[in-house]
C-alpha cells in the first residue's frame, strides 16, 4: 500500500491548538508518513536525498501549515525549493519543454489553518486562501500532481474553537486526507 506523506511546517507547534491535534491524529495512521519539518530540520538544513527517497514511495503529498501573513512558513518554502529540484522533480527536455518527473500523477492536498475568520478572505479587495498561496498550488500543478480538495480551517486564533468544533475539524481532516 502506498503511503500518504504529510509535511507539517509550524514555527510554534506547542502553542497550536489545531495543528498539534491534527499531528496527533494523523501521525498514528498506518498509511501516513508524517513529518514535522521544524522538528526534523530546525536549522533549515534539509536532507534532500532522504526527502526525495521518501517521495518515491508515496501516492499523495499533503502540505499542513498555519497561514501567516498570507503565506506558508519559511521552512516549507525551503523544502519545496531544495527537495523539488531540477533533475528529480522536472527537467527541460530536448525539445525545450518542461517535463514533470518524480511527482507526476501523485495526489497533492493542502491542510491549512488560519487565525482569521473565513469572511476575512472574501469580498472586494480580498484574496482567497488559494489565491494567497497560489505559488504552491501552481508549482505542484506544474510538477504533474493531481490536486485534491483542500482542508481550510478558519478562525483558529480569533474564534473560540470548542472541543466539539475541533472534533468536527479533525473528522473532516481524516475523511479528506485519508480518502483513497
Amino acid at each position: 500500500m502506498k503511503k500518504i506523506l504529510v509535511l507539517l511546517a509550524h514555527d510554534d507547534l506547542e502553542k497550536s491548538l489545531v495543528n498539534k491535534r491534527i499531528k496527533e491524529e494523523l501521525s498514528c495512521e498506518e498509511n501516513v508518513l508524517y513529518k514535522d519539518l521544524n522538528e526534523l530540520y530546525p536549522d533549515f538544513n534539509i536532507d534532500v536525498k532522504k526527502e526525495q527517497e521518501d517521495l518515491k514511495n508515496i501516492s499523495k503529498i499533503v502540505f499542513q501549515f498555519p497561514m501567516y501573513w498570507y503565506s506558508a512558513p519559511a521552512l516549507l518554502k525551503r523544502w519545496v525549493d531544495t527537495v523539488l529540484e531540477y533533475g528529480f522533480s522536472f527537467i527541460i527536455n530536448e525539445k525545450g519543454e518542461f517535463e514533470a518527473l518524480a511527482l507526476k500523477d501523485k495526489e497533492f492536498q493542502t491542510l491549512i489553518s488560519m487565525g482569521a475568520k473565513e469572511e476575512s478572505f472574501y469580498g472586494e479587495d480580498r484574496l482567497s486562501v488559494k489565491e494567497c498561496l497560489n505559488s504552491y498550488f501552481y508549482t505542484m500543478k506544474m510538477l504533474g500532481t493531481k490536486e485534491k480538495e483542500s482542508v481550510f480551517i478558519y478562525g483558529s486564533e480569533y474564534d473560540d474553537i470548542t472541543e466539539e468544533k475541533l472534533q468536527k475539524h479533525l473528522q473532516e481532516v481524516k475523511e479528506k486526507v485519508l480518502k483513497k
Side-chain angles (χ1 to χ4, degrees):
M1 171 194 330
K2 291 270 188 170
K3 290 199 173 243
I4 299 166
L5 172 63
V6 179
L7 294 175
L8 168 66
H10 196 303
D11 294 340
D12 198 1
L13 190 61
E14 284 309 307
K15 291 184 181 173
S16 168
L17 173 64
V18 173
N19 284 286
K20 185 166 38 171
R21 289 287 293 276
I22 292 169
K23 178 182 179 180
E24 290 168 4
E25 291 285 325
L26 292 180
S27 62
C28 61
E29 291 290 332
E30 186 178 330
N31 66 328
V32 172
L33 174 57
Y34 196 96
K35 293 187 171 198
D36 181 336
L37 294 177
N38 294 77
E39 193 175 278
L40 291 169
Y41 307 115
D43 58 358
F44 279 54
N45 189 16
I46 294 169
D47 184 342
V48 172
K49 295 301 174 207
K50 168 75 171 116
E51 295 298 319
Q52 290 175 345
E53 194 59 37
D54 287 343
L55 284 170
K56 292 176 184 176
N57 300 310
I58 58 126
S59 58
K60 180 196 266 189
I61 183 169
V62 179
F63 289 171
Q64 177 192 343
F65 59 91
M67 188 165 74
Y68 297 125
W69 287 110
Y70 311 101
S71 191
L75 187 51
L76 181 61
K77 175 71 167 115
R78 173 87 174 144
W79 188 94
V80 167
D81 289 347
T82 58
V83 174
L84 305 181
E85 66 186 350
Y86 181 85
F88 174 74
S89 295
F90 70 97
I91 58 168
I92 304 301
N93 66 24
E94 59 277 350
K95 295 178 185 176
E97 300 165 336
F98 185 96
E99 187 177 325
L101 297 175
L103 298 181
K104 187 173 182 173
D105 297 326
K106 293 182 188 281
E107 295 178 345
F108 169 68
Q109 191 171 38
T110 59
L111 173 48
I112 305 167
S113 63
M114 278 73 56
K117 294 179 180 183
E118 187 172 2
E119 51 268 20
S120 299
F121 296 93
Y122 297 102
E124 193 173 328
D125 298 325
R126 300 288 179 142
L127 294 176
S128 70
V129 173
K130 195 165 178 180
E131 288 170 321
C132 292
L133 300 167
N134 189 51
S135 64
Y136 291 95
F137 290 98
Y138 191 69
T139 295
M140 297 307 280
K141 178 181 178 179
M142 288 298 297
L143 295 177
T145 65
K146 299 173 186 172
E147 185 179 332
K148 300 314 244 179
E149 184 181 3
S150 293
V151 179
F152 296 149
I153 300 172
Y154 298 95
S156 61
E157 187 72 30
Y158 302 105
D159 258 354
D160 290 328
I161 295 195
T162 63
E163 184 61 28
E164 184 180 333
K165 280 185 185 176
L166 185 56
Q167 286 300 322
K168 286 181 181 176
H169 288 310
L170 293 172
Q171 185 62 37
E172 176 189 16
V173 166
K174 287 178 94 171
E175 286 173 7
K176 289 184 178 176
V177 171
L178 302 176
K179 185 191 290 184
K180 298 195 188 330

